[in-house]
Amino acid sequence: MNRRNSMNKLPIGIQYFNRLREENYVYVDKTQHIHTMLNVGTFLFLSRPRRFGKSLLLTTLREIFRGNKSLFQGLWIEDKIDWQPRPVILINFNDVSYRTKSLAQGLTEYMDELAAEHGIVLSEGDYKDKFRELIRCLATARKVVLLVDEYDKPITDLLENDQKVEEHVNTLKDFYSVLKSSAGEQLFFTLITGVSKYGKLSIFSELNNLLDVTLDRRFVTLLGYTQG
């Protein structure tokens, strides 16, 4: 555990690594586990229950790949990597609207929002083509890092509605098929997280290079607190 002083606050409900570090919250140093994970594969899948720290893991990875070394002062990884920045796409399905509109429309709008954050205006028309275009636009100098938070939320939120679940499974399968296209060759590292594995086989059926590290003993303590 990293302690800057004895008065550090517990980061209850905080999922943004930069805020946690900048506002002097307690951080349990997971960066050695993260470094190990970065060296086991390039397309990874991780399932954990909600409130286990998946979002914090992804925002930590975002800051690592953005090259924000100052946020990692005193942590294990500080002197272990070159800190050269890469473009990062963080897709958070908590931010995608699909209750009052179709998931396809929600993803289409969300791709435009993500592009705008990078100063890009997408010209393609639908979510799948926009996703592919976004990856290609960002990969002009260095390959892209893709992080997906709560990949299955549009499914698990609507389990009582079989029709919607089927519709969302089909949309997500189409969306993730981009990773198997030529755009996928522009990805340096990909981590997809969620709470379930039941949708994994159908949604990611075309991604035969997706490595599931959910039960990998090396990452048992990757997330959350453990008794010292």
Side-chain angles (χ1 to χ4, degrees), residues 34-207:
I34 291 173
H35 186 268
T36 300
M37 185 177 65
L38 296 178
N39 289 281
V40 300
T42 56
F43 280 81
L44 305 183
F45 174 85
L46 175 68
S47 175
R48 288 290 188 276
R50 289 200 170 97
R51 304 297 181 185
F52 258 59
K54 298 186 301 298
S55 296
L56 177 58
L57 170 64
L58 293 184
T59 60
T60 304
L61 284 165
R62 178 173 63 181
E63 300 307 327
I64 288 173
F65 282 114
R66 283 177 170 176
N68 289 331
K69 183 178 180 179
S70 61
L71 293 175
F72 295 84
Q73 182 179 358
L75 300 183
W76 184 91
I77 204 171
E78 181 182 7
D79 59 353
K80 304 299 191 302
I81 59 176
D82 62 12
W83 295 103
Q84 294 299 309
R86 290 183 178 275
V88 180
I89 300 173
L90 174 54
I91 297 175
N92 187 341
F93 273 92
N94 291 291
D95 296 332
V96 178
S97 177
Y98 50 79
R99 290 188 175 275
T100 59
K101 61 187 70 172
S102 70
L103 177 58
Q105 183 180 351
L107 280 171
T108 298
E109 295 172 357
Y110 188 56
M111 290 300 102
D112 284 329
E113 293 172 9
L114 290 179
E117 292 176 5
H118 292 276
I120 296 171
V121 177
L122 301 176
S123 60
E124 297 291 349
D126 69 8
Y127 62 93
K128 181 178 178 179
D129 293 335
K130 284 179 182 291
F131 187 26
R132 183 185 297 109
E133 182 183 7
L134 177 58
I135 293 172
R136 288 176 173 167
C137 286
L138 289 175
T140 53
R142 305 193 77 192
K143 288 188 175 183
V144 175
V145 172
L146 174 65
L147 308 171
V148 180
D149 198 1
E150 303 281 7
Y151 87 95
D152 50 355
K153 197 170 190 297
I155 301 170
T156 56
D157 276 359
L158 299 167
L159 289 177
E160 74 286 352
N161 189 328
D162 291 342
Q163 182 178 348
K164 274 291 185 183
V165 166
E166 182 179 2
E167 175 190 327
H168 287 184
V169 166
N170 290 333
T171 299
L172 290 172
K173 185 175 181 180
D174 193 40
F175 181 69
Y176 291 120
S177 70
V178 169
L179 306 184
K180 193 65 175 178
S181 70
S182 58
E185 298 176 2
Q186 303 301 319
L187 296 175
F188 177 77
F189 176 81
T190 298
L191 176 61
I192 298 172
T193 72
V195 301
S196 69
K197 293 179 65 175
Y198 78 89
K200 175 177 171 289
L201 292 178
S202 59
I203 292 174
F204 304 127
S205 59
E206 296 184 17
L207 292 180

Side-chain angles (χ1 to χ4, degrees), residues 1-5 8-11 21 25-30 74-76 224-228:
M1 181 179 291
N2 182 69
R3 293 184 175 92
R4 294 187 175 181
N5 59 63
N8 284 24
K9 302 166 286 185
L10 288 175
R21 296 290 284 172
Y25 284 91
V26 169
Y27 176 65
V28 178
D29 189 353
K30 303 288 187 175
L75 300 183
W76 184 91
Y225 297 101
T226 53
Q227 185 173 358

